[in-house]
Amino acid sequence: MNKLALLFPGQGSQYNGMGKEWIGTCREAATVYEEASDWSGVDVKKLCTEETAALDGSRNTQLAVLANSVAMFKVYEEKVGIQPAVSAGHSLGEYSALTCAGALEFSDAVRLIARRGQFMEEACAEVEGGMAAVTGVSPLMVEELCALVSEPGQFIQPSNYNTDQQTVISGHKKKLEEALDVLDRRGIHYKRLPVSLPAHSKILLPARDRLAEEMRSLIIRMPKWEIVSNLKASPYSSVEEIRHSLPDQVVSPVLWSSTMRFLQSSGITVAVEIGPKTVLRNLLRQSAPAIRSLAFDVAEDRTLLLQYMSSELYRQNDAHFISLCMGIAVSVRNRNYNQEEYEEGVIIPYREMSKMKRTYEARGYSPDAADRDKVLEYLVRILETKKYPHEQIRRRLGTLTAGRRM
């Protein structure tokens, strides 16, 4: 059976005008930028749609990448809609992954990311730092290099284990320059990263502590599907683990190469990058070429994705039709705050859909026409209870029934 993963990029993937297409494609995507602006006090919509130097600041960059990824996810849900088996986010992207899976409210994620960027900038206000990507050598060799040049109070450390042949280092500018001199003498390739903040280094310990305090009272839920932790390269198992891991992530390396190995071992066959550019798609193609990897930001990849999903996922096992409906059900924003109505019209039918999906997967056969109609009834009930516009409901149903004819 095909298994889908969604991947969310982090800071550094941003580019000018990255949100223009999504604002014009999907009403819910356009709303994301407006809400991010309202909740952060920063003109996120402008950051994502215009050419502006303000996009270079760490706080603004993090807000813009988060909003752009969530907006793109809204478009993905409308155009494709299949719920993933697992998601993973690279650094900042982990917040996008948790938000799209319902673990964090978008409003909370925006405020948290605004604070995260602020805390990181303030922690480095009197520290000159930097980062560089080292390629062509093993992570162990990079670790040895960091140990060679570091000393108490002045250090560099691995910050991103991206692949078995690419490791990013981060830390004090002076020690970074010493490390790069060693690499030059050894003929090892590296690339300086255009950042001033030494992300995922112990320099940011004050930011870690302040972020942990912010998260003490934050409402967090278990995600609707598995989210792989940057710290351990395996899925979160509890709300408290999420609460403690996100602050620690600021000072700890991102275990991305191990995350890709986890995707392979989990039987993932398709991975879609949801966010600006194609960094994660390209890393996955290098490290796990057996996984079909696509970037939703690339028009050609979106076309391939739709073709692939319709020709293989739908035809191979119609249980994916239930997953598709469940994905739409959870992605639509709720506008009904009557708890009794929500329980009756959203929670109960979603549970029934989930039971049907587990039944068909366990027995290894596909839903018949009557059961597919029942799933659609559940979906309509959920969308109506959430007060989703009737025209949008009709469009969703039209996409689903068109997909069934493929």
Side-chain angles (χ1 to χ4, degrees):
M1 181 183 295
N2 288 288
K3 291 182 69 176
L4 172 71
L6 298 182
L7 309 178
F8 295 85
Q11 189 172 347
S13 61
Q14 71 278 358
Y15 61 90
N16 284 313
M18 61 186 175
K20 284 182 179 179
E21 181 174 4
W22 316 119
I23 283 180
T25 300
C26 171
R27 197 183 83 172
E28 288 194 11
T31 301
V32 165
Y33 298 106
E34 295 166 3
E35 291 178 341
S37 300
D38 292 340
W39 290 325
S40 66
V42 174
D43 193 343
V44 176
K45 182 177 180 180
K46 181 178 180 180
L47 288 174
C48 292
T49 57
E50 298 182 15
E51 186 169 343
T52 170
L55 188 58
D56 295 333
S58 181
R59 179 170 177 262
N60 287 349
T61 297
Q62 293 187 41
L63 284 169
V65 172
L66 171 73
N68 201 68
S69 297
V70 173
M72 196 180 296
F73 177 75
K74 297 295 185 184
V75 180
Y76 165 86
E77 285 294 337
E78 183 172 291
K79 303 296 183 183
V80 181
I82 292 180
Q83 181 171 306
V86 63
S87 289
H90 191 286
S91 186
L92 166 69
E94 192 167 316
Y95 291 80
S96 303
L98 288 164
T99 301
C100 293
L104 296 175
E105 291 289 341
F106 182 52
S107 57
D108 289 335
V110 168
R111 296 184 185 104
L112 194 60
I113 288 302
R115 290 289 195 178
R116 182 180 187 263
Q118 173 192 340
F119 296 159
M120 291 173 69
E121 288 178 345
E122 291 175 357
C124 298
E126 298 181 5
V127 176
E128 192 174 10
M131 301 178 71
V134 183
T135 57
V137 295
S138 70
L140 178 60
M141 186 174 290
V142 176
E143 291 168 359
E144 292 172 347
L145 170 66
C146 291
L148 175 67
V149 303
S150 294
E151 58 186 71
Q154 286 281 321
F155 56 83
I156 55 170
Q157 66 183 82
S159 59
N160 301 333
Y161 291 95
N162 283 337
T163 71
D164 291 338
Q165 292 292 304
Q166 185 192 91
T167 306
V168 177
I169 56 177
S170 176
H172 292 91
K173 179 78 169 180
K174 177 183 176 183
K175 294 301 176 182
L176 179 66
E177 294 302 326
E178 291 180 17
L180 299 185
D181 286 342
V182 173
L183 294 175
D184 280 332
R185 291 196 297 272
R186 296 179 179 178
I188 297 173
H189 186 264
Y190 64 85
K191 179 181 180 181
R192 298 174 190 269
L193 302 185
V195 297
S196 57
L197 291 180
H200 302 288
S201 78
K202 302 299 182 185
I203 294 173
L204 296 175
L205 279 169
R208 190 264 325 256
D209 295 342
R210 294 173 72 185
L211 190 61
E213 187 63 32
E214 286 286 324
M215 296 200 67
R216 289 186 194 279
S217 59
L218 189 70
I219 295 174
I220 303 174
R221 303 176 181 87
M222 281 303 292
K224 296 181 176 71
W225 51 84
E226 290 187 332
I227 304 294
V228 181
S229 163
N230 280 185
L231 266 62
K232 63 176 189 174
S234 60
Y236 283 112
S237 58
S238 70
V239 165
E240 286 310 304
E241 186 181 13
I242 297 173
R243 194 182 307 277
H244 294 304
S245 293
L246 288 181
D248 286 343
Q249 183 218 60
V250 172
V251 297
S252 303
V254 174
L255 304 181
W256 195 252
S257 57
S258 297
T259 296
M260 290 189 287
R261 283 192 286 272
F262 172 81
L263 297 180
Q264 281 185 298
S265 66
S266 299
I268 295 299
T269 55
V270 185
V272 182
E273 183 170 3
I274 305 291
K277 291 188 177 177
T278 61
V279 172
L280 301 185
R281 181 201 70 176
N282 296 343
L283 290 176
L284 190 59
R285 287 180 175 179
Q286 294 172 30
S287 300
I291 297 176
R292 185 185 295 248
S293 52
L294 303 165
F296 205 72
D297 202 28
V298 177
E300 294 83 355
D301 279 15
R302 291 198 298 278
T303 300
L304 289 173
L305 175 64
L306 290 169
Q307 291 174 350
Y308 182 70
M309 291 301 183
S310 63
S311 64
E312 294 190 35
L313 286 183
Y314 280 125
R315 290 179 182 175
Q316 183 190 34
N317 187 339
D318 280 352
H320 283 286
F321 178 74
I322 304 179
S323 295
L324 175 59
C325 292
M326 292 173 68
I328 294 172
V330 299
S331 69
V332 167
R333 179 187 174 190
N334 178 50
R335 295 178 174 84
N336 185 347
Y337 301 102
N338 183 306
Q339 191 58 43
E340 290 184 6
E341 291 181 5
Y342 189 85
E343 177 73 24
E344 184 69 25
V346 176
I347 300 298
I348 292 176
Y350 188 84
R351 285 175 181 163
E352 292 301 316
M353 293 165 73
S354 183
K355 288 178 185 176
M356 292 174 69
K357 179 174 179 289
R358 289 196 299 270
T359 297
Y360 283 112
E361 288 179 340
R363 296 178 180 176
Y365 60 84
S366 300
D368 58 23
D371 280 342
R372 289 197 296 269
D373 289 342
K374 190 66 177 177
V375 170
L376 288 175
E377 288 177 18
Y378 287 142
L379 178 60
V380 171
R381 184 174 165 191
I382 290 170
L383 297 182
E384 288 180 342
T385 302
K386 284 187 168 186
K387 299 185 177 179
Y388 196 56
H390 288 290
E391 178 59 33
Q392 295 293 323
I393 293 176
R394 283 194 291 272
R395 285 178 57 192
R396 295 277 190 169
L397 295 180
T399 301
L400 286 167
T401 54
R404 289 298 318 141
R405 291 193 295 271
M406 291 181 177

